[in-house]
Structure formats: C-alpha cells, structure tokens
C-alpha cells in the first residue's frame, strides 16, 4: 500500500527517531509499504519519519542512478544492485574530503540544492531480520545513506545549506508546508488549510 509522504514542516521530520525491537507490530508489512511508497514516488531512499513514523528505519535503492553516464562503469554496477533496509542504524564514522552533490527529498518536492558530505561512511545497523552488520560505503551510496540517516536524526538536507541559501528558499519551503507545490505522489501537508 502506498503511504502518503509527509511534507516539510511536519514535526515528525524534526524528531530524533527511536530504535525498534523485533516485536514492532506489522514490521514486514510496513517495510513492504515503504518500498512501494518509495518506488511510487521514484525515490532512491525513504525514512520512516517521511511516512509519519518516528522510528529508526530507512530504505535505500540506488538502481535509478545506474543509468547515469556521469558515473564510471564500476560505480554504475554497484548502484544497479544496491538495495538495503537499515534498522536502528548508527553511523560510526564519516571520512574524507567533503564533496557537493545536488540533493532533493520526497518531503521537499521541487527543491534541489548542492549539499556537502564526506565521501566515506561506516554504519552499524540491523537488517529486516534484525541481524547486525557493520559496513563501509563510498561515493553516491554513502551519500544516500547519510541523507536518509539524517532523517532518523530529525535533520533535513535544507538544514545543511548556507544561511543565504536558506533565506532564498524560505518562501518555497513555507509553500510546501501549506501544500502549494506539485508532487506526483500522495503527500500530507502540516499547514494545509483544513477548510474545504
């Protein structure tokens, strides 16, 4: 089932999410719905807070980037087969020299800005069977993981922009929270007028 994605301005997007246990109700159904929601919105990542749940889960599937000619054949191969569920994740290390890449977010439709992030990330997490892993990723995969991880810490990519950039997009962000934006997927807006 496709879930509505909560828009910029929703309090859940600013909350630090909580860990879950294997007893979390209907977890496999939730994960299935989250994947369906992400694919329906043509996203490469989705975090539980984006569907209104303050829990530490996010998904990543970088397949859509595999056709991007700006990546080396080796990178394209990695991107084409990277699909993972991260539960109760904790970033242990971010390393290397920061690089910029234009990021967007399903909760902030129509806004893309360059965000600086470190190229290598080491993360500890549990998979959908609660088996624990510690892995290191690089490049675009690392970036998508960092972007989604920020969501479970209550951080949006717009929080990482310079104060000038933030001022320039302030009006757009206010409009998104009121529902004055166009997205090709279902959304829930915090400040949309309740009157019909």
């Amino acid at each position: 089932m496709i879930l509505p994605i909560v828009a910029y301005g929703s309090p859940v997007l600013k909350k630090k999410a909580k860990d879950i246990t294997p007893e979390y109700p209907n977890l496999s159904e939730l994960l299935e719905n989250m994947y369906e929601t992400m694919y329906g919105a043509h996203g490469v990542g989705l975090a539980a807070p984006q569907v209104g749940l303050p829990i530490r889960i996010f998904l990543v599937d970088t397949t859509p980037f595999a056709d991007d000619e700006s990546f080396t054949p080796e990178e394209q191969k990695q991107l084409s087969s990277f699909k993972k569920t991260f539960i109760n994740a904790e970033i242990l290390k971010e390393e290397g020299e920061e690089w910029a890449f234009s990021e967007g977010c399903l909760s902030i439709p129509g806004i893309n800005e360059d965000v600086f992030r470190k190229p290598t990330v080491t993360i500890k997490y549990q998979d959908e069977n609660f088996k624990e892993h510690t892995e290191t990723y690089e490049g675009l995969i690392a970036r998508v993981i960092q972007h989604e991880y920020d969501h479970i810490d209550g951080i949006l990519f717009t929080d990482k922009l310079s104060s000038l950039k933030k001022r320039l997009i302030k009006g757009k962000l206010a409009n998104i929270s009121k529902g004055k934006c166009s997205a090709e997927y279902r959304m829930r807006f915090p400040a949309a007028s309740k009157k019909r």
Side-chain angles (χ1 to χ4, degrees):
M1 183 179 78
I2 292 188
L3 309 166
I5 289 173
V6 298
Y8 179 89
S10 303
V12 69
L13 294 176
K14 291 310 237 169
K15 263 197 191 114
K16 196 171 163 69
K18 299 257 189 289
D19 281 357
I20 61 164
T21 64
E23 290 72 47
Y24 190 83
N26 308 324
L27 180 60
S28 57
E29 191 185 329
L30 169 64
L31 293 174
E32 212 172 287
N33 291 344
M34 282 179 68
Y35 272 107
E36 205 178 318
T37 302
M38 175 174 81
Y39 294 137
H42 305 294
V44 291
L46 184 70
Q50 292 181 277
V51 292
L53 298 169
I55 54 176
R56 293 183 83 76
I57 295 180
F58 64 88
L59 332 165
V60 173
D61 185 343
T62 56
T63 316
F65 285 119
D67 302 330
D68 189 328
E69 303 284 310
S70 62
F71 297 110
T72 66
E74 189 189 339
E75 286 172 317
Q76 286 180 319
K77 190 169 177 264
Q78 281 175 330
L79 292 165
S80 72
S81 59
F82 189 82
K83 175 183 171 180
K84 269 194 197 318
T85 301
F86 293 82
I87 297 176
N88 302 334
E90 183 193 346
I91 284 184
L92 304 174
K93 278 198 304 229
E94 292 173 310
E95 301 165 285
E97 201 170 310
E98 291 195 339
W99 62 295
F101 187 84
S102 177
E103 292 188 19
C105 176
L106 296 177
S107 294
I108 312 175
I111 295 182
N112 287 71
E113 293 290 344
D114 277 355
V115 177
F116 284 86
R117 295 188 190 272
K118 294 192 164 154
T120 307
V121 64
T122 302
I123 188 165
K124 184 170 87 177
Y125 69 97
Q126 290 163 324
D127 61 23
E128 51 281 357
N129 304 311
F130 284 84
K131 188 171 175 309
E132 195 166 287
H133 305 264
T134 299
E135 292 161 352
T136 299
Y137 295 105
E138 293 186 340
L140 193 64
I141 289 173
R143 175 174 291 272
V144 178
I145 288 171
Q146 288 163 311
H147 176 108
E148 296 309 324
Y149 183 86
D150 278 350
H151 274 300
I152 61 172
D153 270 352
I155 299 165
L156 297 169
F157 84 90
T158 47
D159 297 334
K160 296 188 172 292
L161 303 175
S162 69
S163 46
L164 172 66
K165 273 273 161 63
K166 283 183 189 156
R167 279 205 302 278
L168 292 174
I169 60 170
K170 200 175 162 191
K172 272 190 191 168
L173 291 173
N175 281 339
I176 290 170
S177 67
K178 294 180 190 128
K180 294 181 187 164
C181 63
S182 73
E184 291 164 14
Y185 43 87
R186 272 175 66 208
M187 290 193 78
R188 232 173 49 220
F189 300 99
S193 96
K194 300 280 182 273
K195 300 190 292 287
R196 275 284 167 256

